[in-house]
Amino acid sequence: MSESILNCPASVGNGEYCQDVPCCNRLAGPGKDYLVTGDPEHFRIGRQPREGLAILGLMQPDRQVISAWRASAPFWEKHREIIRQMFAPVTEALVEDGLIGSGNTVLDIATGPGEPALTIAALVGSEGEVFGIDPVPEMVDAARRATDHLGFRNAQFEVASADRLPFTADTFDAVVSRFGVMFFPSPVDGVREMLRVLKPGRKLALAVWHFAENNPFHYVLARVIERFVDSPPLGPDAPDAFRFASPGKLRGVLAEAGAMSPSERLLQYTIQASTSVEEFWTLRCEMSEKLREKLATLSGEQLTEVKRQALEVLRGYSTERGMSFPAEVLIVTGTKIRQA
């Protein structure tokens, strides 16, 4: 890793906070998270096991969103491999549209337990580097464990939010985010930060869900549960999986943030999950804090009936190879303007 990626020009220490926020958004000083520059392999030196808890106090994401993802983190780690497989075509689309290749330095925002960062790390090879950030400490811990388990030496993870990226300008060959931007507290600010850390002329690529009614992976269970639990309508800009389902909406955010030639395309693919119907029921309930919260309000008798109805519908998507769902995702890209 080059020293410039994490170098902070401000002098920090003795517990002081670096005021150059776009460059450094961490607490510095004894016993706190701080940046260590010049180390060739790690940028997590000096961290405590729970350094992210302090960092969270400095960040702006919606606390309810953070809390929900913290509760879901153990399940996303548990099902990490099958989730990787289900969304692999989306990762491939981000790689393709982000023009990512061998030797590139790439940033993955809202990486969760390390995807698509680790898939991209394998692609860029030993000459490339991948950095993953997520505002949820438990997700970052899971990503680090996966990195160690899989033996990657070119992937590193930190707790940070999209609107306060801890990197210097013009650092990355590509920035990606898979199903993350819909949960940003300020998508425009997040995209501006992505553009800041991108190298001029390079691309950012974002993946968001198309309409809910086109994605049975989501609506099959939701429709069954809604027969038993009221679901008040969300506001158009509430942090939700389908916040940017309408074509052109996220493209407009990129244009407002200053991206050059923002574009989008519809990715239609099949979600494949090598699980039984019963296993998929467990997988989806554990992945979604929203589903778990709704199920927790049901009586034992109601829960039994919900599961019975859900399994009946899910069997319609079961194949010899496991579960199979048609899916639609928008891939939205933009380029950082080249300096004159």
Side-chain angles (χ1 to χ4, degrees), residues 277-294:
V277 171
E278 184 95 18
E279 289 168 338
F280 185 80
W281 157 264
T282 300
L283 168 74
R284 284 296 290 125
C285 291
E286 291 185 342
M287 282 179 66
S288 173
E289 172 71 7
K290 185 180 296 186
L291 289 180
R292 295 198 308 275
E293 285 184 350
K294 290 180 178 180

Side-chain angles (χ1 to χ4, degrees), residues 12 23 45 55 61 116 122-123 140 151 155 163 176 185-186 198 202 212 217 219 226 245 249 258 277 301:
V12 295
C23 170
I45 292 178
I55 297 171
L123 173 67
V140 171
D163 56 358
V176 301
S186 172
L198 262 178
R202 302 297 298 188
F217 176 82
Y219 74 64
E226 285 171 1
K249 185 175 181 181
V277 171
E301 182 178 341

Side-chain angles (χ1 to χ4, degrees), residues 1-333:
M1 179 183 70
S2 62
E3 294 187 19
S4 63
I5 289 180
L6 286 167
N7 263 336
C8 176
S11 175
V12 295
N14 299 320
E16 297 179 358
Y17 178 63
C18 171
Q19 299 301 311
D20 187 8
V21 173
C23 170
C24 168
N25 67 351
R26 292 183 176 59
L27 287 172
K32 298 176 181 176
D33 186 62
Y34 55 94
L35 295 181
V36 178
T37 61
D39 185 272
E41 294 186 8
H42 303 287
F43 76 105
R44 37 180 152 155
I45 292 178
R47 65 180 175 88
Q48 303 254 341
R50 275 285 167 285
E51 83 279 27
L53 299 181
I55 297 171
L56 282 175
L58 298 172
M59 301 191 308
Q60 304 305 316
D62 184 284
R63 293 292 186 249
Q64 290 183 331
V65 173
I66 295 295
S67 177
W69 283 109
R70 294 185 71 176
S72 295
F75 302 116
W76 278 71
E77 182 174 17
K78 171 185 174 182
H79 301 294
R80 183 188 175 281
E81 178 56 22
I82 196 164
I83 293 172
R84 184 194 67 78
Q85 294 172 8
M86 290 193 300
F87 299 149
V90 182
T91 297
E92 293 171 5
L94 293 174
V95 167
E96 178 182 352
D97 290 22
L99 304 180
I100 298 171
S102 178
N104 283 172
T105 299
V106 180
L107 175 62
D108 177 21
I109 294 179
T111 190
E115 284 294 339
L118 294 179
T119 295
I120 295 173
L123 173 67
V124 301
S126 60
E127 298 300 313
E129 295 175 290
V130 177
F131 297 83
I133 65 106
D134 199 284
V136 180
E138 290 81 356
M139 289 290 194
V140 171
D141 287 343
R144 289 171 176 164
R145 284 189 289 269
T147 303
D148 293 340
H149 175 72
L150 296 171
F152 282 98
R153 297 181 62 82
N154 65 338
Q156 303 176 48
F157 297 91
E158 271 295 346
V159 178
S161 63
D163 56 358
R164 296 164 70 99
L165 296 175
F167 305 102
T168 56
D170 306 336
T171 292
F172 296 98
D173 297 298
V175 178
V176 301
S177 185
R178 190 184 72 188
F179 304 137
V181 66
M182 55 272 263
F183 299 106
F184 289 1
S186 172
V188 172
D189 289 341
V191 172
R192 282 182 180 142
E193 271 290 87
M194 295 180 201
L195 291 170
R196 181 183 67 80
V197 301
L198 262 178
K199 294 176 181 177
R202 302 297 298 188
K203 300 187 75 172
L204 63 86
L206 312 175
V208 295
W209 291 105
H210 199 210
F211 294 118
E213 56 266 29
N214 298 344
N215 285 286
F217 176 82
H218 286 279
Y219 74 64
V220 165
L221 293 189
R223 289 178 179 177
V224 171
I225 293 173
E226 285 171 1
R227 299 169 189 165
F228 296 82
V229 181
D230 290 333
S231 297
L234 296 172
D237 280 318
D240 178 73
F242 300 100
R243 184 182 189 178
F244 292 111
S246 296
K249 185 175 181 181
L250 182 55
R251 187 176 68 239
V253 169
L254 268 65
E256 182 179 350
M260 182 175 66
S261 304
S263 64
E264 72 179 21
R265 68 179 174 100
L266 177 64
L267 172 67
Q268 296 176 306
Y269 81 104
T270 301
I271 294 176
Q272 299 284 357
S274 54
T275 68
S276 67
V277 171
E278 184 95 18
E279 289 168 338
F280 185 80
W281 157 264
T282 300
L283 168 74
R284 284 296 290 125
C285 291
E286 291 185 342
M287 282 179 66
S288 173
E289 172 71 7
K290 185 180 296 186
L291 289 180
R292 295 198 308 275
E293 285 184 350
K294 290 180 178 180
L295 292 174
T297 67
L298 302 177
S299 67
E301 182 178 341
Q302 288 175 318
L303 182 57
T304 298
E305 180 59 17
V306 165
K307 183 176 180 180
R308 185 194 68 77
Q309 292 186 25
L311 294 180
E312 182 178 341
V313 178
L314 286 171
R315 288 188 186 98
Y317 297 91
S318 180
T319 71
E320 292 181 355
R321 300 177 58 188
M323 303 301 294
S324 179
F325 300 90
E328 293 190 357
V329 173
L330 296 176
I331 306 296
V332 185
T333 59

